[in-house]
Amino acid sequence: MSVMRLGHINVRVLDIEEAVDHYVNVNGMIQTHVDPLGNVYLKCWDEWDKYSVVLSPSDQAGMNHIAYKVKSDADLDMYKTRITEAGIDVEEVPAGTLEFVGRALKFKVPSEHEMYLYAEKEYVGTSVGTTNPDPWPDDLKGVGAHWVDHALLMCPFDPETGVNTVAEVTSFMVDVLDFYLVEQVMVGPDGDIQLATWLSCSNTPHDIAFVGGPVSGLHHLAYFLDSWNDVLKAADIMSKKRVKIDVTPQRHGITRGYTIYYFDPSGNRNETFAGLGYLAQPDRPVTTWTEDQLGAGIFYHTRELVESFTTVYT
Amino acid sequence: MSVMRLGHINVRVLDIEEAVDHYVNVNGMIQTHVDPLGNVYLKCWDEWDKYSVVLSPSDQAGMNHIAYKVKSDADLDMYKTRITEAGIDVEEVPAGTLEFVGRALKFKVPSEHEMYLYAEKEYVGTSVGTTNPDPWPDDLKGVGAHWVDHALLMCPFDPETGVNTVAEVTSFMVDVLDFYLVEQVMVGPDGDIQLATWLSCSNTPHDIAFVGGPVSGLHHLAYFLDSWNDVLKAADIMSKKRVKIDVTPQRHGITRGYTIYYFDPSGNRNETFAGLGYLAQPDRPVTTWTEDQLGAGIFYHTRELVESFTTVYT
Amino acid sequence: MSVMRLGHINVRVLDIEEAVDHYVNVNGMIQTHVDPLGNVYLKCWDEWDKYSVVLSPSDQAGMNHIAYKVKSDADLDMYKTRITEAGIDVEEVPAGTLEFVGRALKFKVPSEHEMYLYAEKEYVGTSVGTTNPDPWPDDLKGVGAHWVDHALLMCPFDPETGVNTVAEVTSFMVDVLDFYLVEQVMVGPDGDIQLATWLSCSNTPHDIAFVGGPVSGLHHLAYFLDSWNDVLKAADIMSKKRVKIDVTPQRHGITRGYTIYYFDPSGNRNETFAGLGYLAQPDRPVTTWTEDQLGAGIFYHTRELVESFTTVYT
Amino acid sequence: MSVMRLGHINVRVLDIEEAVDHYVNVNGMIQTHVDPLGNVYLKCWDEWDKYSVVLSPSDQAGMNHIAYKVKSDADLDMYKTRITEAGIDVEEVPAGTLEFVGRALKFKVPSEHEMYLYAEKEYVGTSVGTTNPDPWPDDLKGVGAHWVDHALLMCPFDPETGVNTVAEVTSFMVDVLDFYLVEQVMVGPDGDIQLATWLSCSNTPHDIAFVGGPVSGLHHLAYFLDSWNDVLKAADIMSKKRVKIDVTPQRHGITRGYTIYYFDPSGNRNETFAGLGYLAQPDRPVTTWTEDQLGAGIFYHTRELVESFTTVYT
């Protein structure tokens, strides 16, 4: 496993000021840079690299690209070969193309999402430092998210016409990028159609997830919180700040995580995801959810899937 | 990183019945096997391999060996070569020598602790299964620990005579076994003597830790709990069961974890360690604690080191 | 204030076996008695009197009566006079009419609900005893509710025809029974119509509440839990036991409490209400919620009132 | 019960600036007044009266007086008579003698502590207001204590010479001031000597407590927090602010509360006390702790009494 983590996500927003206010004062991120095009770069207090979210002004919400950080520059060469051998065009972009980032690989995964791999990003340090650090800084804003934890991407899926880019992108992530499958939802009369997958390149239950839907898109971008109690504080703060909450505090069956889903002012879904859930490991057997229990998998308490949850995304 | 996790620890106990009662009814483990020598094998509900603790009857408490699981059989060959090249004798023990375990490598790390590496152990599954699992099983006992999380080993350390096996074993774990250094305590007039280290082979703040002391030994064996609230429940249960508590609920500065230290009936120190703390990553800069802040590093709330904490161990 | 607390509530259920299973294995109550008519009596582990819920077999769900315990027998004489002077018929029922209860006053409050006052009920003790008690017993079932905390009663309300039994019953509770008003919802063009009230006879935010609706009925019966974390455990257990959850974990604006609403098998709404919220006091000014913020008052996180919440009750 | 609650406590401090910094930035109180003598008045965010703590510059730490608020002015007349009839001199001090307070009764309880009763204090309101309030304000400082909850007073106690002012003051509080006994510690060969008592005038486990010791004094002044999780946050903040912690997070057996004991800069012991514990009621049987279990009563987790806990006070 040479991919270390989600490095950053580039999200399109309709009103950059409103968006920055949300990502700073609700999510608790710190603005670290604005580029000449007006893109705003932010990091969480517990992250050490320059940014993990880039907000890009646009007339349509959604995701421009998602980028993962690999361990070493040599990994980029290795992955360039493997991605190419998988029949996917990969473009090598020079250092600085992504601001503060070294050379990077750019390509489209089978679900049509644009992805980058990179090995270097400017280091700025966490808010607590590396010498005798406090466990949390004094000046937390909003929910005080620790870090960008994962993203869930919607993938074209239409089993009647044989389209299942969830399965395709999952295979790509596993075979080419060394992620491993942690949980999956299997549907269809024979339970053999992979509707959704959760994959890890670390020891957390997911670093990326894919769910089938009508079109390619961004379902949500998730932030890590420590505990169920932080989820309560987060929900209180969202109410105070009149954030549109999609799903109030609840446990996921899948990953066991404690969640709130809510929207940024442009309609991009955010999540606060709390708790480790469990320690994912390559030899931990894959957890499978069957179609009849899908509701409990997503929303463990109600055991019912809200339709808008899979139809509304950007 | 081919070492996946702490696979099991073999602990010596003075009274096997009392010990089993403690590890089952306090720690919440499940007995899975007793071998002909009377060694008792146990696993936690959230572990899938056959056992993670082996209790061995003895007239002296302490640790016999600690074993880590690697990803593949081929890793054993690779590590055999590397350990040997590091000048350490390594014995290859055949499958079944460790019960339910495939072939293994046996060797002594520079701090004199006996360590095994293995790639296979019989699979028995977690208590919630792999299909539509509940987040926790109905029949939890005691504190209901999720898994054995890490161990802290005491290492011969006497800077006046130039002995520092903390530094030696840390180098070994990093250079030979691909662990990475996450936190360290530096002491001495120039702050250049490594008194204690926390190392990870995963994304948790530590899979093993080393602290300098007069003699080689076991400082503690730690179990994972989800949250600070589980720590309260654990402390209540320990009181009910009259477990000797060494350190009541408190936060560590190092790792940020929520802890209780307590003793099994033989005097082996156990820990409930709760919360992820933070996501350890190879590129996260090492956290260093200076000698004057060591107290806060160990016990963040009191900021004072209790002497018995580093002098009493098995 | 001579009324001490909600003593018990008599709830009608469609299937007594299913109901007992729910109140015992979900709510965590202990069955203490079955009378010759098949009514089942239950108490929570942290209550000391013989019962706090009576389940009565019926072909229609809902509440038969609600009973409050007063401090002394002399209080019954005092209240008999005051209730009569308020123009309400009061019947004195002899000891034993309500099982294990001393003499009692029986009357209808202005919202048509049947209420009893009594001063004596057989003492059986809490599950932890009175000498060196543990903070909680070992044999908790289900959510392990501490006690029956309060009830919310629906009261005929139709401002267009001048009907407002919320205001009437509130006045009665304050003027005659010495409760005090803690929070209220005021509606109408001038904000002068009392749609809902929360009243205390103790120092908790409510011992009874009234909300206006089409007909008299029982909105819910609430159990006390200690914390937001207990609410998570409760929701997990409800999912495991396939309890119909009405509202997943959320904070109330009114009372600040942490809540889950769910239904017993007959459709009677139950609540787990956690946290003290705040210390109610007679001189604490009444909190008023305006019609435009009613949603936030009931469901602080979503700030939106679910219609079924005020239309579905028994 | 006409006494409603602890109204305020007047504490002597050695350095008023350091003290104000502690009560504001650690405890989270709000300074509301400084009188011409340099006494500083503070309230908590969730309190509505003008102040609950008065800090008085002095060369010796400790308590000057403690004041309880009664329901009505008429109660003062009633209590004046009853206190006098109990053989205790009571002085009526005119309105304004205690700043912002109406007329008051001043007297010494049998343990030599000076106590006031009053019915009126200037109202200033909580930090969240009375119309559509948020559950907590945005500008919390330090631990953000809700209110001053109770005090524990040390009372001259020497059973060998027949001195037991714990028993005397307890009788006074019950017989004259209408408090009721909730918990007690009984010691001595026959278990009939009342060493400590916890009394309530509300429905919380204690509004005042008394423990026997060599001399009369203040053991601690306690603040209410909502939960065990708030206790963690409080301990973290105390570490950050280098507050001297006496007892790290732990549960009391007595009252079931979650506690931290710590010292203000003058050495006056403070407590954060979290959770309701249980609902105290006049008919709830008194909980008795026996001498051999006293340790568990005070510190449920360690079950051991720290000597300094009863010998160090102001």
Side-chain angles (χ1 to χ4, degrees), chain B residues 134-138 227 229 233 236-237 240, chain C residues 134-138 227 229 233 236-237 240:
Chain B
D134 284 317
W136 44 274
D138 285 341
S227 71
N229 215 79
K233 181 188 156 199
D236 283 352
I237 288 169
K240 286 187 175 204
Chain C
D134 284 317
W136 44 274
D138 285 340
S227 72
N229 214 79
K233 181 188 157 199
D236 283 353
I237 287 170
K240 287 188 174 203

Side-chain angles (χ1 to χ4, degrees), chain B residues 253-275:
Chain B
I254 295 163
T255 75
R256 297 183 190 160
Y258 312 127
T259 187
I260 304 171
Y261 287 114
Y262 55 107
F263 295 103
D264 77 7
S266 304
N268 293 301
R269 191 184 273 102
N270 289 181
E271 181 185 24
T272 55
F273 179 89

Side-chain angles (χ1 to χ4, degrees), chain B residues 176-234:
Chain B
V176 179
L177 298 188
D178 298 317
F179 282 61
Y180 61 99
L181 183 62
V182 180
E183 305 209 26
Q184 62 183 347
V185 175
M186 300 302 286
V187 300
D190 301 320
D192 58 357
I193 302 173
Q194 209 173 29
L195 170 64
T197 58
W198 287 258
L199 297 108
S200 180
C201 64
S202 67
N203 298 103
T204 65
H206 54 341
D207 292 293
I208 197 164
F210 302 102
V211 173
V215 295
S216 185
L218 170 67
H219 187 273
H220 71 262
L221 160 66
Y223 293 89
F224 185 81
L225 295 182
D226 180 56
S227 71
W228 174 242
N229 215 79
D230 289 336
V231 165
L232 171 64
K233 181 188 156 199

Side-chain angles (χ1 to χ4, degrees), chain A residues 134-138 226-227 229-230 232-233 236-237 239-242, chain D residues 134-138 226-227 229-230 232-233 236-237 239-242:
Chain A
D134 284 317
W136 45 273
D138 285 340
D226 180 55
S227 72
N229 215 79
D230 289 336
L232 171 65
K233 181 187 156 198
D236 283 352
I237 286 169
S239 175
K240 287 188 174 204
K241 295 190 182 293
R242 305 295 188 270
Chain D
D134 285 317
W136 44 274
D138 285 340
D226 181 55
S227 71
N229 214 79
D230 289 336
L232 172 65
K233 182 188 156 199
D236 283 354
I237 287 169
S239 175
K240 286 188 174 203
K241 296 191 183 289
R242 304 296 188 271

